[in-house]
Amino acid sequence: MGTGLELNDVQGNILNGYGFGHAVHLLLHGETPAAVQQCLGELGGRVTTAARWPEGECPRATLNVAISYHGFERMGLRRPLLDRFPEAFRVRTRERAPDLGDVGPSGPEYWDEHLGSGAVHLVLSASARERDDLAEARRQLREEIGAIPGLGVVAEQETHALPHRREHFGYADGFSQPDVEGVDRPSSHRAPEDSGVGVPLPDGGWRPVRLGEFLLGHLDEDGRVDSEPDPDLVGNGTYVVYRKLEQDVRLFRDVLAEAARRTGLPEELVAAKVMGRWRDGTPLATQPARSDPGQLDDVATDQPGNDFRYLPDDREGHRCPLGAHVRRVNPRDALDFGGAVRSSGRLTARHRIIRRGMPYEDPPGPDGDARRGLLFVCYNADIARQFETIQAHWCNDGDTFGLGDDRDWFIGGAGGSGKMTIPTRDGRPRFVEVHPDLVVTRGTEYLFAPGMRALRGLAEGAFG
Amino acid sequence: MNVTWPATPMTVLTPVVPGREQALRESLERLSGLGAPPFGRVAETHFARWVVVSGAPWRYRGLPRRTRPLRMQYLLFTSTANRPPEQHVEDLRTGLRGDADAAWGHCVGYPGYQQPAGFRRYLLHNRLPTHRWFAAYDATVQEVGDALDLRRRHTRFAVRMQEVDDLGLQKAFLSEFGDAELPDAELPDAELPDAELPDAELLDTELLDDGT
Ligand code: HEM
């Protein structure tokens, strides 16, 4: 392998999203190697691939599967293979929690019991356009799982899209995704070379990110092919970060109002400054001011812009603050160290992720409050270099951007309060407080979504 | 003892008693799982770590697979502290106590922390020369901690004081941070009615004159 993309060997939803608004994740525990293998054997044939659906043949429901390190262990994978998985994948996420800022209210002692404990071996994910179809897919899956001796469901997580692609704080979400080499984007998107979602080139153009950043067994941005621990096992597969992030919507409204009062800026502008996009998705980079920001609540712009860079015009962050969420998590061309690095986009290209999260709302707890948030799901070839770097170094800290101890306003509250800076043209920067309770982690699982051939091999015990 | 001693590196390499490698690994794992890291109890220490050097058939991506394992495994200790080496060794002994034994206790010839002279001899004897070394800044652990505290205070102050006008900001700043250089009594604010001096001028002249 190394070149060429066989879409029918890659699981679906990774390279292109299904665009379905309802999904359920079944978190499974297997008592024996046979239980896990039997599950892969019986369901493996139904797993949805990345192959294009023929015109008019969109399935009612999709099915995908991902395996945790403990799942591989339970399946009886050979020890030398297990040992050569990357450390981030092998260690329980509960143990990695402090490094990711999951402390205080985000600490593992408050996580959903089963998450990150090693109890989850497989995650089956079904999604559908219609709620009824999802319910049917779920019922059928549960029946099949129930018939496999030694296999049990430890938890279920439903997620449902909100109207106009909003997440719970009211921002349109989920449209800036990396443009990936060799992957056709749906025709609704503009041509990849000018869409601003790949790698910014010094000449002003863009190119797609190398496939190896998202699928193992392919050339990555460093010109290498990662096939550890075994090309047949990991080729065309990807690592999955499954992270349950609870959002406190009431607190969000309060702290936004408070920030507007303290900074003297309109509330909707503060909301845009901390995110880097207006709530309807329009980027601050292309539209730094608005005459009527009051109308942003109900619709997402049809095609939120992505074709922008931060340099040279916005080096100071007067349009989009250096510490705004979208500028931190994808700095595009901005990491040029004051002009010292010409092809600055290449650095960012090593830290991209494909996001497929969806909002969730769990039934009310004992206090009667429904718990809601974002079930953040992302795909990457190297969890430590991609997802964890973004979270730990780019969001929980400001050094990379010359921002000292400033944090990401949404997800950087680790270990106490801090601030975020909004630079302004009138010379006086404004400061907003970062609240550790705004978004709290309720658990993390690191998984691997193998290619289709590897799934068959696993079901047959080929790597034991 | 001199706490402003320049930051000094220390590297100690000790062979692991054959057969005890796994016990050492488990022991280190337990130490890093504890709430407060044991090295936090060692005076004036910036960084410290133990690493098991195994030469196992471990592969680093991009490097060829190593075929010949080491004959023995080693425990590598490295640290940076604002102490002369002998003093740092004594600080390790009195700071780590039983935790020192939990790690070096698996190494050949280690006498235990309760033997001051033996402990000192053991670490200094197994010390490796450091040929090249770099410290990014010249500050003691105390100074680094104080600077971080000051930054946190500034952050809280900056967020809280945004609505305040310039004069109020000056006053609040001086009362929060200016105690040493500019005692409250010298503040000129009582004689300066808001309207008479433009803000910029006030900041240029009065604050700088008084503060220096
Ligand atoms: C509850 C928590 C979160 C909320 C409410 C949130 C919200 C958003 C929104 C509204 C956008 C802009 C829309 C878009 O580009 O699709 C965005 C973009 C993005 N977010 Fe988040 N996000 C959250 C957590 C995270 C986490 C944990 C990460 C990764 C560590 C992350 C990484 C990204 C990335 C990579 C982008 C795309 C930026 C770009 O390409 O310009 N987000 N997020």
Side-chain angles (χ1 to χ4, degrees), chain A residues 84 90 224 226 228 261-263 382 385 404-405 418-419 428-433, chain B residues 29 57-59 61-62 65 151-152 154-156 158-164 166:
Chain A
R84 292 213 315 276
R90 279 184 284 126
R224 299 221 161 114
D226 182 4
E228 284 290 302
R261 188 179 61 71
R262 283 209 158 132
T263 56
D382 184 331
R385 170 162 54 78
D405 196 30
K419 73 166 174 29
R428 185 164 68 88
R430 310 294 204 277
F431 304 112
V432 292
E433 201 170 350
Chain B
E29 210 153 279
W58 149 266
R59 277 216 288 171
R61 216 187 297 154
R65 190 192 296 266
R151 181 165 78 177
R152 273 190 284 274
H154 270 121
T155 298
R156 277 197 300 273
V159 174
R160 237 179 339 149
M161 288 299 158
Q162 296 181 79
E163 310 104 292
V164 177
D166 290 355

Side-chain angles (χ1 to χ4, degrees), chain A residues 167 169 171-176 245 247 275 277 325-326 329-330 332 352-353 355 374 376 387 390-391 411 439:
Chain A
E167 51 71 52
F169 292 152
Y171 295 89
D173 188 16
F175 38 79
S176 179
L245 300 172
Q247 297 171 261
M275 177 54 76
R277 287 182 183 262
H325 179 67
V326 300
V329 293
N330 179 9
R332 299 178 182 230
R352 302 292 304 276
I353 51 177
R355 292 170 302 136
L374 176 69
F376 175 88
F387 164 72
I390 297 175
Q391 176 67 59
I411 56 167
V439 175

